[in-house]
Amino acid sequence: MTFRPSLFILLLMCFVAPPSLIFAQDEAAKNEEEQSERYTFNIRHDPNGIGKFYLGREIAHVMGHQGIRWLERETREEEERLSLLIEGLKIKPGMSVADIGAGSGVISVLLSKAVGEEGEVLAVDIQPEMLTALQNKLRLLGIKNVKGVLGTTKSPKLEAESVDLVVMVDVYHEFDFPYEMLNEIAKSLKKGGRVAFVEYRLEDPKVPIKLVHKMSEAQVKKEALIKDHGLKYLETFRKLPRQHVVIFEKK
């Protein structure tokens, strides 16, 4: 039998993975290893949580689109003083603001007024049903400076260094992958841009919210100030009746 080099090379290529594939596999293995070290799981956990823990905190179940009526409840302004929240965020006309976990758009509508016609609100959610409800609301109200964005559990799908402010109202504690999500959020901020965690106060037992849907200020800082995110603590707005607003700035 005559040896044919070209045939040998062809066969060899069939059995040897290209460098790009090997690199991708190595990266995937590395990411999986990092995630296994970053998160822990426990079968004994709060029924309102998913049994997955990050830096000692259990991650809460995500509120589905079935909860829109609760988000839109008439008593929400009285309970949470959302109008006061907008004042505390110190928004200027013309800003680009991202509302992460926008839901049906209650916060996005308030933000749209604050940024004005020259500004933009990017309303991010991972549930298409929420974004549909948001679009219906925007159409009904004639609002044109709010844009819906379909994100994922690991990324808000925002352009790098594109926003002045990211607002997360009662949603960060539900992120399946808080490290990855916050890292991507930080990348989306312009230098000097801010990210605001609006969370029900764990420190206050009078706040009538389930335990895993609350976060302490110390826990927020613990998670936000991980070096990889490139954030620094700026201030905490404490004038809301049930939530604290912990704000960080991109270095």
Side-chain angles (χ1 to χ4, degrees):
M1 178 179 177
T2 304
F3 177 70
R4 300 173 61 184
S6 59
L7 179 60
F8 174 75
I9 293 173
L10 182 61
L11 290 171
L12 184 63
M13 290 176 64
C14 293
F15 291 99
V16 179
S20 59
L21 178 58
I22 294 174
F23 177 77
Q25 291 173 338
D26 288 345
E27 282 296 300
K30 180 182 178 182
N31 290 338
E32 186 174 347
E33 182 180 353
E34 288 179 349
Q35 286 182 26
S36 66
E37 294 176 352
R38 189 171 293 131
Y39 302 108
T40 58
F41 298 83
N42 197 326
I43 58 174
R44 294 184 178 181
H45 63 87
D46 191 306
N48 298 298
I50 64 174
K52 181 178 181 180
F53 294 78
Y54 177 57
L55 296 179
R57 172 184 65 86
E58 183 173 4
I59 296 169
H61 280 292
V62 174
M63 174 184 286
H65 61 275
Q66 298 85 353
I68 286 178
R69 289 184 63 183
W70 189 78
L71 295 174
E72 301 275 353
R73 66 193 185 280
E74 293 182 359
T75 58
R76 190 171 181 185
E77 170 61 24
E78 179 183 351
E79 295 167 356
E80 300 183 10
R81 296 296 305 279
L82 298 178
S83 55
L84 187 58
L85 163 64
I86 299 303
E87 293 179 23
L89 292 173
K90 301 175 183 177
I91 297 171
K92 297 178 181 178
M95 276 187 169
S96 176
V97 180
D99 178 13
I100 309 294
S104 58
V106 174
I107 306 299
S108 294
V109 168
L110 296 175
L111 293 172
S112 74
K113 297 176 183 177
V115 301
E117 293 182 0
E118 300 301 317
E120 180 182 38
V121 176
L122 300 168
V124 181
D125 209 282
I126 64 171
Q127 300 179 70
E129 296 88 350
M130 287 292 199
L131 293 179
T132 297
L134 168 71
Q135 293 300 332
N136 291 338
K137 175 180 289 186
L138 298 177
R139 193 178 302 112
L140 181 65
L141 297 176
I143 295 174
K144 298 181 179 180
N145 63 346
V146 177
K147 176 184 177 183
V149 179
L150 182 63
T152 71
T153 57
K154 292 185 179 181
S155 173
K157 296 298 182 179
L158 300 174
E159 294 182 11
E161 301 181 356
S162 62
V163 295
D164 299 293
L165 172 66
V166 168
V167 182
M168 298 180 289
V169 180
D170 308 329
V171 295
Y172 174 80
H173 64 273
E174 297 179 353
F175 289 168
D176 284 354
F177 296 92
Y179 171 88
E180 290 82 357
M181 193 68 167
L182 186 53
N183 212 39
E184 290 299 310
I185 286 171
K187 291 177 183 177
S188 76
L189 289 172
K190 300 174 184 177
K191 186 174 182 180
R194 297 172 297 139
V195 54
F197 294 71
V198 185
E199 292 287 344
Y200 290 109
R201 299 191 301 271
L202 180 62
E203 300 90 337
D204 187 353
K206 296 180 182 178
V207 174
I209 297 294
K210 295 174 181 178
L211 195 61
V212 294
H213 286 277
K214 297 181 180 183
M215 282 189 73
S216 69
E217 183 175 352
Q219 184 69 31
V220 172
K221 291 179 179 178
K222 183 178 181 180
E223 299 185 24
L225 293 176
I226 289 177
K227 185 178 179 181
D228 295 353
H229 301 323
L231 301 172
K232 64 179 180 180
Y233 172 70
L234 190 61
E235 61 181 331
T236 300
F237 183 70
R238 308 180 191 278
K239 295 183 179 180
L240 302 185
R242 293 183 177 180
Q243 298 125 308
H244 38 208
V245 186
V246 192
I247 303 173
F248 301 84
E249 183 180 69
K250 186 172 184 178
K251 296 178 184 177

